[in-house]
Amino acid sequence: MNELAKLRLAVLISGRGSNMMAIARHCADGRIAARIARVIADRPDAAGLAGAAQLHLPTAIVPRAAYPDREHFEAALDAQLDNCGAELVVLAGFMRVLSAAFTARYAGRLINIHPSLLPAYRGLHTHRRVLEAGEPRHGASVHFVTTEVDGGPVILQAQLPVLASDTEETLAARVLEREHVIFAQAIGWYADHRLRQQGAFFVLDGQTRSAPIIAS
Ligand code: GRF
């Protein structure tokens, strides 16, 4: 596909950036009909910036600490997103809560990965909390972002059993492996115009859905 015809992604990161790298690989080998127009980090020390640079992806840093409040920070983010012509904004380990105004501006064009079987275990430290609760199952969810934190229609979930031998680290590693697969898959659907948000629901291949697809 002609590079210019491909969907333009902006990928927002705060840390390691392994989901961003997985998406970049899928774009590079044509499994996702999109290209990463910019990787944007909210911290100058985000490790993923080095990985992005190695892949020759355009990067930008919008350091939260440089702005007096969230409104000014988000205005700087807006400027970056406009400037790179982002059509889909991908939150890939972006550890900031975005304002209602920001999420409304990007409604239907804002997608996130969360390491739990949403709506269970919103928020942080999901692996630890799942282990502490003795849950038999855990996983990851890709969802459209709405004003509610870790709310918004869940598109695709990967589920896996919690093993008796699991530690926070082993469980996180198994979940992360699945994150890379389902995030790329959902972004691929979007890039192929198969997926869109419809309020609290999503539409895949013309079918309105209120429950996530479960990845095999
Ligand atoms: C992932 O587990 C993601 O679900 C969560 O933060 C982590 C980011 O990992 N929101 P990485 O930066 O993509 O490696």
Side-chain angles (χ1 to χ4, degrees):
M1 184 190 245
N2 177 338
E3 276 302 298
L4 292 175
K6 289 184 177 175
L7 183 83
R8 296 169 71 88
L9 308 178
V11 185
L12 274 52
I13 63 168
S14 297
R16 172 179 61 185
S18 72
N19 275 288
M20 176 273 297
M21 296 291 279
I23 294 161
R25 281 193 295 274
H26 279 76
C27 290
D29 66 19
R31 278 179 289 168
I32 299 179
R35 66 193 175 99
I36 297 184
R38 197 161 296 178
V39 174
I40 304 171
D42 65 335
R43 317 166 44 112
D45 60 352
L49 285 169
Q54 264 172 19
L55 295 181
H56 307 290
L57 298 173
T59 59
I61 303 167
V62 181
R64 173 64 183 87
Y67 300 92
D69 52 33
R70 187 164 68 175
E71 204 179 330
H72 286 84
F73 167 68
E74 290 183 349
L77 269 185
D78 275 339
Q80 286 287 342
L81 296 171
D82 279 353
N83 180 269
C84 72
E87 294 169 284
L88 179 66
V89 179
V90 178
L91 306 181
F94 187 68
M95 304 306 283
R96 297 262 159 220
V97 174
L98 295 163
S99 69
F102 186 95
T103 55
R105 271 199 297 286
Y106 292 93
R109 307 193 284 138
L110 193 53
I111 197 167
N112 184 45
I113 182 95
H114 182 77
S116 81
L117 297 174
L118 289 172
Y121 298 99
R122 293 176 176 183
L124 298 173
H125 309 301
T126 57
H127 312 302
R128 188 189 311 165
R129 287 157 57 210
V130 160
L131 285 172
E132 281 168 2
E135 298 282 1
R137 289 180 325 141
H138 187 32
S141 306
V142 181
H143 66 97
F144 282 114
V145 177
T146 57
T147 51
E148 200 185 342
V149 177
D150 297 328
V154 180
I155 303 157
L156 182 59
Q157 276 184 340
Q159 304 186 345
L160 46 87
V162 177
L163 308 177
S165 58
D166 264 327
T167 62
E168 206 177 322
E169 289 70 33
T170 60
L171 189 54
R174 289 212 316 289
V175 170
L176 189 66
E177 215 173 284
R178 302 300 304 281
E179 289 184 26
H180 295 167
V181 175
I182 61 171
F183 212 7
Q185 185 170 0
I187 294 166
W189 288 339
Y190 191 95
D192 291 339
H193 308 286
R194 294 174 57 189
L195 171 68
R196 63 186 167 84
Q197 185 185 346
Q198 192 173 72
F201 307 112
F202 69 95
V203 180
L204 181 66
D205 294 332
Q207 195 181 336
T208 303
R209 293 174 181 267
S210 56
I213 311 274
I214 307 301
S216 47

